[in-house]
Amino acid sequence: MGFDKFLGNQPIVTVLRRMLGRGRVPHTLLFTGPRGIGRYTLAVMLAQAANCERFEDDFCGECAPCQAIGRLADPAPLIDQGLAERGENPDAATVERVPLILQTHPDVWALVPDPVRRKQPAARPVIRMGQLRAAQRAAYFKPVARRRVFILESAETMRRDYANIFLKILEEPPETATFVLLAPRPDDLLDTIRSRAVTFRFAPVGAGPIEEFLKRRGDLGAPERRLAAQLSGGSPGAALGIDLEESRRLRSEVVELIERAAEGGSWAELLAGSERLAKREDERFENILEMFYSVLTDLLEHGFALQGRTPRNPDLQGRLEKLGRRVGPAQVRQMMESLDRLAAGLRRNLNRQLNLDAAVCSWALGGAAPRSHPRRASGR
Ligand SMILES: [Zn+2]
């Protein structure tokens, strides 16, 4: 019971345990890696270990602080409860005055991007000023147990001007407080914040351990477990939440768009496909981008005839091999570069559909010439 329940990234666990063992936990930690890889889970475990009554080399998971903090591991009901307590339609002032803080023990705080309300959440939940101010005040109080731990989920959603509040705390950190920032990539945060943090980059977990994990957690059959593990990109949380049928449908649309671009299909068809993907409301656009990357990576590896590779989209291999005969590695690289530009544009809040349209059209231009001129596309 303790850190051994954590899946993957054992080198990170080892370093954290060593820090805890020596009583030298840094004031600011940055956990980076894809969604669902376990950054939040490990942050909660760290908070347990920092406050466990029987900590030696590991936390016990059974003492009162361990139990209380452990309840933070499933944030969904806590978020729901916090939003319900604030009222269904709060105004902007109320959202700041009653900040969304998840807490199951007086010393451990989780800050998550505030969706504002339960029904119709904000378009893009962000960490708010009120949440940061509340954490700032709390950080200077003496802990009830040993250490105050503040977990900032999706720290990259913090507005840059608010980040300065945060920077103030990091510049003169209270002796008994630790901030654990979670973000997909280190460069999602301001340099000034990043440079004060000890960064741990979470690596993808192997398909084997993820299959084992799914076996313990769910009712999927062996072939489905294998597919879910392969599609998860090394992220146990993603594997657990995946809807295989829906995922196949979506990835199939992604492949179709690449096929059309490679064939030089009509602009109208290309743009219609791009619009369908960009406007989906049930799937985060970042996930759709990931699907493009995963399909293109399969194409690239296929193009170089890599031996012993594990395809990311095993259920679409036949189609991808066919497509790979038409699209060479150089063209796949160009496509990936345009996706990189698209991803960078999204971080600057550029319109996702226009950008996906532009990317897809550039692929068509890079391949065979499209059948119709864009200005005449509407007449066809
Ligand atoms: Zn304990």
Side-chain angles (χ1 to χ4, degrees):
M1 186 70 204
F3 281 115
D4 55 354
K5 280 190 127 185
F6 188 73
L7 192 66
N9 285 288
Q10 289 309 304
I12 296 179
V13 175
T14 304
V15 174
L16 290 179
R17 283 173 79 160
R18 208 169 289 158
M19 288 171 165
L20 285 157
R22 291 179 186 154
R24 293 170 73 169
V25 181
H27 294 297
T28 314
L29 296 164
L30 170 58
F31 290 178
T32 68
R35 185 173 292 276
I37 202 144
R39 294 170 295 154
Y40 181 82
T41 304
L42 193 58
V44 172
M45 287 182 166
L46 173 72
Q48 286 177 297
N51 289 296
C52 173
E53 287 171 357
R54 302 178 210 152
F55 182 83
E56 277 177 41
D57 183 39
D58 204 348
F59 62 98
C60 73
E62 284 158 9
C63 68
C66 273
Q67 292 264 342
I69 299 166
R71 287 198 291 123
L72 207 53
D74 181 10
L78 299 168
I79 295 175
D80 217 36
Q81 188 191 336
L83 296 178
E85 282 168 6
R86 192 164 66 195
E88 195 51 61
N89 285 308
D91 51 44
T94 308
V95 170
E96 295 297 353
R97 204 182 61 247
V98 189
L100 180 66
I101 306 283
L102 315 187
Q103 222 180 353
T104 53
H105 181 277
D107 288 330
V108 184
W109 295 45
L111 272 54
V112 299
D114 190 338
V116 181
R117 53 186 81 85
R118 280 191 297 171
K119 297 156 194 163
Q120 296 172 309
R124 183 171 175 265
V126 294
I127 294 207
R128 291 176 183 273
M129 175 82 100
Q131 292 172 295
L132 292 171
R133 288 230 187 274
Q136 183 189 25
R137 282 192 296 272
Y140 291 94
F141 280 92
K142 259 184 110 148
V144 176
R146 288 200 306 277
R147 180 166 283 277
R148 294 226 139 165
V149 179
F150 298 84
I151 303 169
L152 269 79
E153 170 65 278
S154 305
E156 77 283 3
T157 67
M158 195 183 337
R159 261 176 52 175
R160 303 232 147 177
D161 45 343
Y162 295 177
N164 287 324
I165 300 182
F166 198 63
L167 199 55
K168 290 240 168 59
I169 324 177
L170 301 188
E171 278 166 350
E172 291 171 52
E175 200 45 53
T176 50
T178 286
F179 290 85
V180 190
L181 311 180
L182 315 181
R185 289 163 297 264
D187 59 4
D188 289 337
L189 295 181
L190 289 177
D191 283 349
T192 40
I193 289 183
R194 197 174 59 219
S195 64
R196 285 181 168 78
V198 178
T199 301
F200 292 97
R201 293 166 196 259
F202 285 53
V205 180
I210 293 184
E211 276 183 60
E212 272 302 307
F213 166 74
L214 290 176
K215 196 171 171 183
R216 290 198 303 274
R217 292 288 292 264
D219 45 10
L220 288 180
E224 287 84 20
R225 286 200 300 267
R226 168 167 298 177
L227 184 58
Q230 281 173 311
L231 292 177
S232 69
S235 195
L240 203 57
I242 211 162
D243 175 340
L244 288 174
E245 217 169 286
E246 182 55 21
S247 154
R248 188 192 160 92
R249 222 181 352 255
L250 253 179
R251 285 177 295 115
S252 200
E253 270 188 54
V254 165
V255 175
E256 196 180 314
L257 200 56
I258 301 173
E259 284 168 346
R260 287 230 167 106
E263 278 164 4
S266 82
W267 290 100
E269 277 173 356
L270 270 178
L271 295 177
S274 157
E275 181 177 358
R276 258 200 312 280
L277 281 170
K279 288 210 166 147
R280 287 188 70 111
E281 287 181 356
D282 52 340
E283 188 68 51
R284 298 179 42 191
F285 191 62
E286 288 79 1
N287 291 351
I288 293 178
L289 268 190
E290 282 304 321
M291 289 179 187
F292 271 103
Y293 277 115
S294 107
V295 164
L296 290 174
T297 308
D298 271 354
L299 277 178
L300 196 62
E301 292 185 354
H302 176 72
F304 285 119
L306 285 186
Q307 297 299 311
R309 73 190 186 98
T310 312
R312 286 157 187 75
N313 300 277
D315 49 344
L316 298 173
Q317 272 316 284
R319 251 171 100 185
L320 287 178
E321 276 168 26
K322 233 164 119 186
L323 182 56
R325 286 196 279 277
R326 288 204 305 273
V327 186
Q331 201 182 344
V332 174
R333 270 219 214 87
Q334 271 176 8
M335 290 177 170
M336 283 181 157
E337 280 163 15
S338 67
L339 284 183
D340 292 342
R341 284 194 294 277
L342 171 55
L346 284 181
R347 286 202 284 277
R348 297 196 306 272
N349 285 327
L350 295 186
N351 180 298
R352 62 195 199 183
Q353 193 196 329
L354 285 180
N355 276 276
L356 183 60
D357 286 352
V360 169
C361 288
S362 77
W363 301 348
L365 288 170
R371 285 203 306 268
S372 67
H373 190 275
R375 271 187 299 180
R376 281 191 283 138
S378 57
R380 290 172 69 96

